[in-house]
Amino acid sequence: MQLNSLSITHLRNLHAVDLTFNPHFNILGGENGSGKTSLLEAVYVLTTGRSFRAHQSRQIITFGQKICQVSGVAASRCENNQRELIRLGVERHQGGGIKIRLAEEDCHSIALLAQTLPIQLINSDSYAILEAAPQFRRQFLDWVMFHVEHSFYPVWQRFKRVLLQRNAALKEAKAFAVGVRAWDKEFVEFGEAIHCQRQTILRELVPIFSEIVSGLLNLDKPIFLQYQPGWQSEYSLQEALERSLERDRLWKYTTVGPQRADLEILIGENLAKNVLSRGQLKLFVCALLMARALLLYRRHQRHCVFLIDDLNAELDKGSSKLLIESLSRLGGQVLITSIEETSLTELLKEKEHSLFQVKNGRITSQL
C-alpha cells in the first residue's frame, strides 16, 4: 500500500494542502514550527482516525474553525500488477465527533480504516516501546496481531467486553462470587486464544527482527524478546484466575490475564533500555517497527507507509545511511521530516525521492 495524494483543510497551522507523493521516499524539509510534523500528523489522522500528538479534536483544528478534514487516495497492487485506488477521508469536529469515508462510502469502523493503509510511526514517542509501561509493548505486539492475524481482532473485542463485565462484578459487593465467576469461562476461553496467537506471531517475528537489527547495530551480546503472558507460567489461566480471586476482590479489578502481558526485551541479561545509547535505542526501535512491517508483507504482500519525524535526530551520518538502506530494502513508502534536508537529500541521491519545503504552514514541491 502507498499514499498517492493528500488533501488537508484546517489542521493546525497548515493552509489548504494538496500533495502528490513519491511511492518511495519523500523528504519534508523546513524549520522547527513550520508544519512538518503536522503533515505527518494529518496522514496519521487519515489512516487511524486520531492524532499522535493530541487527544482532543479541538487541539488539532485550526484556531477559529469548527472542523478539520483530511482526505487522500491510497493505492494497492493487484495480482495483474495494476493499481487499485481507494479514497479515504476523515473529518474531525470540535466537539469530538468524527466522520469517516472509505471507498466513497460512509464508514463507522476505525479498525477498517486502519487496516486499509497500515502506518508505522517513528518519532520521539517510539522509545516508549522500550522505556515505558507494559501497555506500550502490548500495543506493539497487538499491532502485528491486528494487521497480520485477522482472526485476532474479533477475539480481542470479545475478551475486552468480558473483562469489563468481570471488573464491574468485582466492584459489586453483593453476590460477589456468582457475579465474577459468571464471566470466568469466557474470560479463559478468549484469554487463552489471545495468548496462543501472540506466542505464535512472536515466534515468527523474532528471526525477522534479529536479521534487521544485526544490519543496524553491532552488538556483542544476544538479543532476547521474552513474552510474559500476564500470569505465572506454571499455571493455566484458569488456575491463575482462581488463585487471584481474593486479590481481585480486594483491588476490584482483574489482576491476571493477557491484558497484563508484557514483552521483555533484553540484550544479554540486561534490559535493552539500560545498555543502549540514545542513538542505538532509535535504531533498535526502528528495527522492531521494520520487522513487523516486513512480517506483514511476507504474510499478505502489503507494504506499510513509514512516517519518520526528524530522522537525523540522535543519529550520525553513518547510522542514518544504514537506516535509509534498511528502509529502502523493505520496498514501502517513506515520509521523512528534517530541518537538514540537504544532508538527507545527499543520503537519498541514488534513490527515487521527492522533496517538499514546508514554511509557515505552506507546502511546496521542490523539483
Side-chain angles (χ1 to χ4, degrees):
M1 296 294 293
Q2 68 184 52
L3 184 61
N4 282 8
S5 61
L6 180 73
S7 297
I8 307 167
T9 306
H10 302 322
L11 189 143
R12 295 198 185 269
N13 70 326
L14 295 177
H15 298 267
V17 173
D18 286 289
L19 298 175
T20 299
F21 291 118
N22 190 295
H24 301 287
F25 287 91
N26 297 269
I27 304 171
L28 312 172
E31 298 178 354
N32 288 328
S34 61
K36 303 185 305 297
T37 302
S38 296
L39 181 56
L40 297 188
E41 183 181 24
V43 177
Y44 197 85
V45 169
L46 177 63
T47 56
T48 67
R50 58 188 177 87
S51 164
F52 59 79
R53 301 166 71 192
H55 295 294
Q56 298 178 332
S57 295
R58 59 181 177 82
Q59 294 174 284
I60 68 172
I61 297 173
T62 303
F63 181 77
Q65 302 296 325
K66 295 183 178 180
I67 63 172
C68 70
Q69 297 170 314
V70 187
S71 60
V73 177
S76 63
R77 191 179 296 278
C78 302
E79 292 182 1
N80 58 2
N81 211 33
Q82 297 297 311
R83 292 283 185 181
E84 178 189 4
L85 301 181
I86 304 172
R87 296 187 180 277
L88 314 171
V90 173
E91 185 176 279
R92 295 296 304 257
H93 296 249
Q94 277 277 12
I98 181 172
K99 180 179 179 180
I100 300 172
R101 294 278 293 177
L102 182 58
E104 308 286 2
E105 296 183 359
D106 289 338
C107 174
H108 303 287
S109 171
I110 290 178
L112 188 58
L113 178 70
Q115 285 177 336
T116 302
L117 187 62
I119 290 290
Q120 299 285 352
L121 173 67
I122 299 173
N123 65 357
S124 58
D125 293 333
S126 300
Y127 295 106
I129 298 173
L130 298 178
E131 297 179 334
Q135 73 178 78
F136 292 94
R137 289 177 288 282
R138 288 195 298 271
Q139 289 170 0
F140 163 80
L141 189 54
D142 288 343
W143 185 99
V144 187
M145 304 298 305
F146 174 76
H147 286 282
V148 175
E149 191 58 64
H150 294 157
S151 64
F152 170 79
Y153 185 62
V155 174
W156 178 242
Q157 284 185 306
R158 295 169 75 181
F159 174 79
K160 286 199 298 182
R161 180 183 64 83
V162 172
L163 177 62
L164 287 172
Q165 296 291 346
R166 190 176 193 273
N167 285 345
L170 286 166
K171 293 178 174 63
E172 291 290 338
K174 297 180 180 180
F176 160 75
V178 175
V180 173
R181 291 187 183 279
W183 297 103
D184 283 2
K185 182 179 178 181
E186 286 184 292
F187 183 94
V188 171
E189 177 187 351
F190 301 136
E192 288 279 12
I194 290 168
H195 170 59
C196 291
Q197 287 182 326
R198 282 175 174 169
Q199 284 185 311
T200 299
I201 212 72
L202 193 57
R203 282 194 292 268
E204 197 171 348
L205 182 69
V206 167
I208 298 174
F209 166 70
S210 298
E211 177 185 347
I212 293 174
V213 78
S214 65
L216 294 175
L217 291 169
N218 184 22
L219 301 174
D220 58 1
K221 293 183 179 179
I223 298 171
F224 302 99
L225 273 63
Q226 298 180 347
Y227 175 63
Q228 309 295 332
W231 66 91
Q232 290 179 290
S233 57
E234 61 264 34
Y235 301 111
S236 68
L237 180 53
Q238 179 65 56
E239 292 170 334
L241 209 57
E242 292 173 356
R243 292 173 65 88
S244 69
L245 185 59
E246 287 304 315
R247 182 179 58 206
D248 292 355
R249 182 179 186 179
L250 179 64
W251 292 359
K252 300 187 185 303
Y253 68 88
T254 306
T255 59
V256 298
Q259 81 284 1
R260 307 283 293 176
D262 196 0
L263 184 63
E264 197 171 52
I265 304 174
L266 305 171
I267 297 178
E269 297 179 352
N270 300 301
L271 291 173
K273 66 178 181 179
N274 294 334
V275 298
L276 297 177
S277 69
R278 203 65 179 166
Q280 289 175 318
L281 279 172
K282 184 168 186 174
L283 291 176
F284 197 93
V285 169
C286 287
L288 285 168
L289 299 179
M290 285 190 285
R292 67 183 188 181
L294 183 53
L295 177 55
L296 174 61
Y297 179 75
R298 288 181 178 178
R299 279 283 203 98
H300 300 293
Q301 288 71 57
R302 302 184 70 217
H303 285 298
C304 291
V305 176
F306 277 81
L307 308 179
I308 307 179
D309 197 18
D310 200 0
L311 180 139
N312 293 325
E314 298 167 332
L315 295 180
D316 57 30
K317 185 176 180 179
S319 296
S320 296
K321 184 176 181 180
L322 284 174
L323 183 54
I324 290 293
E325 290 298 330
S326 292
L327 288 165
S328 180
R329 285 193 293 272
L330 283 181
Q333 187 180 39
V334 185
L335 278 65
I336 309 172
T337 71
S338 177
I339 59 174
E340 302 172 0
E341 65 266 28
T342 302
S343 62
L344 194 52
T345 303
E346 179 66 21
L347 288 174
L348 289 167
K349 64 181 179 180
E350 296 180 356
K351 303 186 185 303
E352 186 178 339
H353 68 276
S354 295
L355 174 62
F356 300 89
Q357 189 68 34
V358 187
K359 186 175 182 179
N360 297 326
R362 299 186 184 278
I363 305 171
T364 55
S365 177
Q366 306 294 298
L367 300 178

